[in-house]
Amino acid sequence: MIRHLLKLVWNRKRVNFLIMVEIFFSFIVVFAVIFMAVYSFDNYRKPLGFRYDDVWAIRVQNSQGMPEEDKVNQLATFRALLAATKEFPEVETAALTWLAPYGRGDWNSGRKSKDGSNFDIGQNLASDDLKEVLGLKVIRGRWFSREDDGVKNYKPVVINQKMADMMFGDEDPIGKNVAEPSRDNKPVEELRVVGVIEDYRNRGEFAEHRGFMFFRHDLQNSTEIHPQTIIIRVRPGTTAAFEEKLLKRLQAEASEWSIEIRPLTELRDRMLQQYLVPIAAFGLIAAFLLVMVGLGLTGVLWLNVTQRTKEIGLRRAKGATRHRIYRQILGEVLLIASFGVLIGVIVVVQFPLLDFFAFADPQIFAWAVGISLVMIYGLAILAGIYPSMLATRVVPAEALHYE
Amino acid sequence: MTTTSAAISQPLDTQAGVELMIRLEEVEKVYRTDRIETVALTNVNLAVRTGEFISIMGPSGSGKSTLLNIIGLLDVPSSGKVVINGRTINSYSDRNLSRVRNEEIGFIFQTFHLINDLSVQDNVEIPLLYRRSMTGGERRRLAQEALDRVGLSSRVHHFPSQLSGGQQQRVAIARAIVGKPRVLLADEPTGNLDSQMGDEIMDLLEGLNEQAGTTIIMVTHDPRQAEKTERIHRLFDGRQVN
Ligand SMILES: Nc1ncnc2c1ncn2[C@@H]1O[C@H](COP(=O)(O)OP(=O)(O)OP(=O)(O)O)[C@@H](O)[C@H]1O
Ligand SMILES: [Mg+2]
């Protein structure tokens, strides 16, 4: 029967070609959206590396900017602000950093991986208490501490597991230098890995999983990049009323500075939205497209069946049961869809082969292809059910009544 | 074959030791469309013995096609009884009706009804597609055999549009006989052909009747052809006249 269907479909290729093309394009669009969704979902499942509940970010900026000659004074203000937050019993711990998790902006750099390819890493500053505030998980070596005070010929850094994997594979990264070699062979200051944390995905659950590196800020050295954010962990149940109290106190410490307090949950919502909105928008467009394609396909198949009532009547007269007719029409639809989908898969498989989607796992790719296949076949079946049912209602005596 | 054995033992089905292939009793057919009722057949009784070749004649609209469709299980009578090969057909399931159509009956139409998108070979194979457990090779062999029988074995890869009307009707006959049915129903099989081609088709049908013992019921307008059959049934306005 399959052979018979193949012949039928092939001999009617002119009509079927259009359906095939429609299925092909639908597959490509569905794949694009599903790939985005699967990729985001896969990212979402990976550990975030920090905790955001009961953590507030206080962005602190001198309204005059940061003139070179004033850096020592400004650092003193930072220290005073940090100390002020710690006066409150509502604040469990507090630390300094450059950019809060889920914060806008990025500080990144590039490194060479063990196998020679380039990859991006994110960077940030951390005072020793940041691990406590964010609940970072150290899985090798140690976090920053007083031990690192006064080291001269290198800077201690803590990297995430991903960066360690990329640069060192199975080797122990502790004690290794992760500085980027300069192009002109000038000596660069050593960045010595003192610890590895599980992760720190500051751009949130949906963002690409990338390497990350923390520099230590000891709150003394004004030649460093300056922190801009105080991160505090408040006691569970602390309300927004405290936000006002805290703001008043900090503002008293640095009256001409701009100070903004935001719970991480709020920043998180904003960040997740940034990722979800385009997916939802594309998903909606794709859904509309699928509905259109589905209705169009139903129409084409419907017309197809009404044009073939004689053939269907004849098959019934020759012993085909209603069920066989149903299976035939639906089988033809699925066969045509299979050709469209086959070409779609061939096209889509070129992407990883050409290294277009190098950032995504082959597994994610396979999942996206699989889900897209299920959706397109589902669409084809949905579109085929009604016309196939119509075909079973053909009354042979009427269909064969000569013209 | 699943059959109701009660029907086989009915006395009417054997007359003087000759088996009856088809028996119609008081068959009526009324077409109802909205408010218009068309009586297509009234009180038709018919008994056709196994191996008989009979013809049905009558003016246009007298119910010949309706009668043939009822015998071929393409249509159901409004009342009356249809017995085919000893089995009373009244409320068969779609599956059983399909099986009887497939195994017992071969239909030939005035307008051939070949599927233009399929080759001659594939057209002839169609009834065999609906047989359970038949291999592709077996289907091909039987189709070749049937095409041989109608003298078209050299045209297997042609498409219907590449054949003359007479050749197309011979393909349709090959398709009707490929499953070796015991009954052939032909509705004006030569109606669309010139007389020479018509004679060829008649010869074919006569040959099938004589050599394979196939029971044939043929609707025709042509008295010359009707005379070649054993019996002529005449219909007028849905009634039998003799
Ligand atoms: N599906 C139908 N619905 C309503 N009336 C029908 C239908 N089929 C046939 N009839 C009517 O039944 C009557 C018999 O039709 P039938 O086709 O059996 O005639 P026929 O003897 O085969 O005629 P012809 O020689 O022209 O083929 C006609 O009056 C026809 O109009
Ligand atoms: Mg007729």
Side-chain angles (χ1 to χ4, degrees):
Chain A
M1 196 68 196
I2 287 279
R3 271 178 63 102
H4 186 77
L5 285 189
L6 269 170
K7 281 182 198 164
L8 258 183
V9 166
W10 176 251
N11 292 341
R12 294 168 55 82
K13 50 187 169 296
R14 248 184 259 166
V15 181
N16 295 335
F17 180 74
L18 290 176
I19 302 178
M20 202 193 74
V21 169
E22 199 171 20
I23 292 281
F24 166 76
F25 280 113
S26 308
F27 178 80
I28 298 292
V29 171
V30 166
F31 173 79
V33 172
I34 294 292
F35 179 80
M36 248 166 63
V38 171
Y39 178 64
S40 303
F41 176 72
D42 183 62
N43 284 336
Y44 190 82
R45 288 187 322 154
K46 288 176 183 154
L48 195 57
F50 64 89
R51 287 167 44 203
Y52 52 83
D53 41 301
D54 299 318
V55 177
W56 295 4
I58 310 168
R59 199 169 159 81
V60 197
Q61 275 171 313
N62 187 333
S63 41
Q64 261 89 65
M66 205 160 282
E68 218 35 59
E69 65 278 10
D70 200 31
K71 277 193 166 178
V72 178
N73 284 334
Q74 290 200 7
L75 199 54
T77 311
F78 271 116
R79 280 197 300 270
L81 287 169
L82 187 60
T85 59
K86 288 181 173 171
E87 291 165 9
F88 293 95
E90 287 92 337
V91 177
E92 287 185 342
T93 45
L96 285 179
T97 186
W98 181 73
L99 182 73
Y102 301 113
R104 279 201 184 128
D106 197 31
W107 174 14
N108 55 23
S109 167
R111 287 292 183 280
K112 255 198 166 37
S113 73
K114 207 180 175 201
D115 61 27
S117 59
N118 294 309
F119 68 101
D120 271 351
I121 59 168
Q123 304 178 124
N124 206 349
L125 285 184
S127 66
D128 294 356
D129 291 329
L130 193 70
K131 170 178 168 273
E132 273 302 300
V133 180
L134 289 177
L136 300 174
K137 268 189 226 134
V138 175
I139 53 178
R140 270 185 129 135
R142 59 175 177 81
W143 181 251
F144 303 124
S145 71
R146 305 308 287 265
E147 242 180 273
D148 301 308
D149 278 349
V151 292
K152 281 273 148 32
N153 38 7
Y154 69 89
K155 272 187 192 162
V157 295
V158 169
I159 62 176
N160 70 347
Q161 180 68 51
K162 168 99 175 177
M163 181 168 168
D165 286 346
M166 292 291 278
M167 291 189 74
F168 306 112
D170 295 335
E171 290 171 56
D172 187 356
I174 303 299
K176 292 248 163 51
N177 180 11
V178 292
E180 195 177 18
S182 78
R183 297 230 178 93
D184 42 13
N185 277 337
K186 271 190 206 140
V188 228
E189 188 175 28
E190 181 186 350
L191 301 178
R192 187 178 293 176
V193 178
V194 299
V196 177
I197 51 173
E198 183 189 45
D199 226 325
Y200 178 70
R201 297 174 58 207
N202 66 319
R203 289 186 299 184
E205 286 82 339
F206 289 122
E208 178 193 353
H209 188 214
R210 61 174 181 171
F212 205 92
M213 173 162 70
F214 276 107
F215 296 101
R216 178 172 189 253
H217 200 287
D218 61 5
L219 309 184
Q220 306 298 330
N221 195 343
S222 63
T223 62
E224 299 283 349
I225 286 177
H226 273 215
Q228 298 188 347
T229 309
I230 299 171
I231 306 260
I232 60 174
R233 170 167 291 281
V234 296
R235 277 186 209 295
T238 305
T239 58
F242 173 62
E243 210 176 294
E244 233 169 288
K245 205 163 85 180
L246 181 63
L247 183 62
K248 215 175 261 172
R249 171 70 188 87
L250 294 180
Q251 212 70 76
E253 198 68 43
S255 52
E256 72 279 29
W257 289 44
S258 89
I259 298 171
E260 189 189 5
I261 305 178
R262 287 282 194 83
L264 281 197
T265 50
E266 211 179 295
L267 298 179
R268 175 173 184 263
D269 288 347
R270 192 182 66 186
M271 177 70 78
L272 294 194
Q273 233 175 46
Q274 247 177 55
Y275 282 89
L276 283 178
V277 166
I279 294 178
F282 279 124
L284 208 65
I285 292 171
F288 271 116
L289 186 96
L290 283 192
V291 169
M292 304 274 277
V293 168
L295 289 178
L297 201 57
T298 308
V300 170
L301 298 171
W302 188 337
L303 188 72
N304 190 346
V305 162
T306 53
Q307 282 171 346
R308 288 167 70 188
T309 49
K310 272 203 174 13
E311 175 193 332
I312 294 162
L314 178 95
R315 288 176 186 274
R316 296 276 285 135
K318 294 295 172 187
T321 57
R322 286 205 186 89
H323 186 65
R324 281 305 281 264
I325 296 293
Y326 187 85
R327 268 172 38 196
Q328 181 195 329
I329 301 297
L330 204 56
E332 283 179 28
V333 178
L334 292 182
L335 212 55
I336 299 164
S338 297
F339 284 118
V341 153
L342 183 74
I343 298 173
V345 170
I346 290 173
V347 167
V348 149
V349 159
Q350 306 306 311
F351 295 147
L353 292 183
L354 297 174
D355 244 15
F356 276 175
F357 286 127
F359 59 89
D361 259 353
Q363 259 191 21
I364 292 180
F365 194 81
W367 269 102
V369 169
I371 295 173
S372 306
L373 283 180
V374 168
M375 290 189 66
I376 292 295
Y377 274 112
L379 180 78
I381 289 173
L382 275 182
I385 280 179
Y386 185 64
S388 303
M389 229 161 64
L390 272 185
T392 66
R393 297 206 194 124
V394 168
V395 178
E398 282 172 22
L400 297 173
H401 210 274
Y402 53 86
E403 44 281 322
Chain B
M1 224 176 286
T2 55
T3 167
T4 46
S5 55
I8 293 174
S9 61
Q10 280 172 7
L12 247 169
D13 281 359
T14 48
Q15 288 180 341
V18 184
E19 222 186 309
L20 274 189
M21 195 65 204
I22 290 152
R23 184 158 56 83
L24 302 191
E25 275 177 38
E26 291 167 23
V27 163
E28 300 216 330
K29 180 68 186 180
V30 183
Y31 288 110
R32 289 193 180 85
T33 45
D34 290 333
R35 294 232 180 106
I36 309 158
E37 275 194 4
T38 314
V39 181
L41 292 174
T42 328
N43 193 23
V44 172
N45 293 284
L46 182 70
V48 182
R49 292 189 302 276
T50 303
E52 235 185 336
F53 188 172
I54 73 162
S55 52
I56 296 173
M57 293 192 77
S60 185
S62 58
K64 305 181 297 293
S65 296
T66 305
L67 179 62
L68 216 59
N69 284 342
I70 287 174
I71 298 170
L73 307 183
L74 296 186
D75 212 340
V76 284
S78 307
S79 68
K81 194 166 156 187
V82 178
V83 183
I84 291 177
N85 201 12
R87 277 180 292 171
T88 307
I89 316 289
N90 26 45
S91 61
Y92 267 3
S93 67
D94 179 51
R95 236 177 92 187
N96 284 331
L97 284 178
S98 296
R99 192 196 291 162
V100 177
R101 279 182 211 142
N102 183 255
E103 291 174 356
E104 307 276 351
I105 295 162
F107 233 115
I108 302 164
F109 309 90
Q110 180 179 352
T111 48
F112 324 137
H113 290 313
L114 298 176
I115 298 174
N116 288 323
D117 297 318
L118 290 176
S119 69
V120 164
Q121 165 92 32
D122 292 327
N123 264 289
V124 173
E125 281 185 25
I126 283 175
L128 304 180
L129 288 175
Y130 306 118
R131 294 253 162 116
R132 248 173 280 165
S133 65
M134 185 175 273
T135 64
E138 216 172 333
R139 279 202 294 268
R140 225 162 303 138
R141 190 179 57 74
L142 286 172
Q144 296 280 357
E145 220 177 276
L147 282 166
D148 248 357
R149 186 75 191 71
V150 300
L152 272 181
S153 43
S154 60
R155 300 292 162 94
V156 289
H157 298 304
H158 283 62
F159 282 80
S161 57
Q162 300 167 319
L163 300 178
S164 74
Q167 288 171 326
Q168 289 189 38
Q169 190 59 301
R170 282 193 274 162
V171 174
I173 293 175
R175 182 182 61 192
I177 63 173
V178 71
K180 301 196 163 69
R182 307 227 272 161
V183 183
L184 272 186
L185 304 175
D187 194 350
E188 299 187 48
T190 62
N192 273 7
L193 304 175
D194 63 32
S195 62
Q196 196 204 324
M197 278 181 176
D199 287 345
E200 279 176 33
I201 297 298
M202 261 319 274
D203 289 346
L204 249 175
L205 292 179
E206 282 179 298
L208 284 168
N209 175 245
E210 277 157 26
Q211 286 146 36
T214 313
T215 310
I216 302 181
I217 303 175
M218 177 179 73
V219 170
T220 182
H221 279 298
D222 186 342
R224 246 177 6 106
Q225 288 176 359
E227 270 159 26
K228 292 183 186 167
T229 64
E230 294 167 46
R231 240 170 352 121
I232 304 177
H233 269 259
R234 291 182 194 278
L235 285 180
F236 189 83
D237 209 7
R239 290 168 199 281
Q240 280 171 297
V241 285
N242 275 311

